Amino acid sequence: MPRGHAVYHFATKSDYQLVLADVSAQLRLKYVVYESRLQPDFRIYASPLDVPEFGVNKWPDYLGGVMFIVLPEDAPLHWEYWPNRQVPEKYGFFGQQGNDRSVMYQPSSYHKGEHGEGLLWGQFDTISKHPDSLTIFNAFKKSIRKRFERMGVCYVGPEATRMLDSGVRLTQDLRRPAEFDIGRV
């Protein structure tokens, strides 16, 4: 992925409200939940904050949270079946490869379980060079850089910073030792 086309961050729902307000003032977008489907019956939202599982992670690593493909409101959704699947059902696939006007968005999310509790990182990224994709990506990047504090390779939202200061772990994976967590330098 080209440098500058990913923004890693820690944020809470209230941190995201500020960023999403900035972006929605500039762009009309739709947020499609990125998930395997048997049919192209996408879960599409005007705001990712409306998704019931937003901000909650079912696993102790960052991959257990909800993910979105973010597109212009008028962009069609490309769908295709996976070839050579070894299961009776044919699961469909849609991703950024067929939706080049899009950005991938994985919100930061909270997990509490046997490995402890903490805020797991999120990211905005794109592999596309389509002008719409870059416009969306840059709108999110600009808002995050303006509103969040930079800590190492990540940006940390105001409420997430307060969580860090109160002792909550900010990490990629709660199973890793705490010395790998994001913290103040």
Side-chain angles (χ1 to χ4, degrees), residues 105-132:
Y105 168 36
Q106 182 175 5
S108 182
S109 52
Y110 188 81
H111 177 81
K112 183 176 182 177
E114 67 179 276
H115 299 286
E117 61 184 291
L119 193 59
L120 302 168
W121 83 351
Q123 67 188 61
F124 287 98
D125 62 64
T126 184
I127 58 172
S128 175
K129 293 182 181 176
H130 191 285
D132 286 345

Side-chain angles (χ1 to χ4, degrees), residues 34-42 78-83 85 87 89-95:
Y34 182 74
E35 59 192 347
S36 299
R37 308 293 288 176
L38 291 172
Q39 299 296 324
D41 54 348
F42 305 109
H78 176 77
W79 165 271
E80 62 188 58
Y81 283 107
W82 284 337
R85 295 283 296 173
V87 294
E89 300 89 7
K90 282 185 157 185
Y91 283 91
F93 173 78
F94 82 103

Side-chain angles (χ1 to χ4, degrees), residues 25-44:
Q26 304 169 54
L27 305 168
R28 296 177 60 87
L29 302 173
K30 60 184 168 187
Y31 297 81
V32 184
V33 177
Y34 182 74
E35 59 192 347
S36 299
R37 308 293 288 176
L38 291 172
Q39 299 296 324
D41 54 348
F42 305 109
R43 291 195 299 153
I44 302 172

Side-chain angles (χ1 to χ4, degrees), residues 10-84:
F10 292 93
T12 65
K13 195 170 190 174
S14 66
D15 293 335
Y16 283 123
Q17 288 172 334
L18 301 170
V19 172
L20 292 167
D22 289 345
V23 172
S24 65
Q26 304 169 54
L27 305 168
R28 296 177 60 87
L29 302 173
K30 60 184 168 187
Y31 297 81
V32 184
V33 177
Y34 182 74
E35 59 192 347
S36 299
R37 308 293 288 176
L38 291 172
Q39 299 296 324
D41 54 348
F42 305 109
R43 291 195 299 153
I44 302 172
Y45 296 87
S47 170
L49 302 174
D50 296 336
V51 176
E53 64 268 31
F54 185 90
V56 178
N57 200 311
K58 58 186 170 190
W59 299 333
D61 67 12
Y62 72 99
L63 296 173
V66 66
M67 290 178 57
F68 299 93
I69 293 182
V70 184
L71 303 107
E73 196 173 62
D74 65 345
L77 293 173
H78 176 77
W79 165 271
E80 62 188 58
Y81 283 107
W82 284 337
N84 304 318

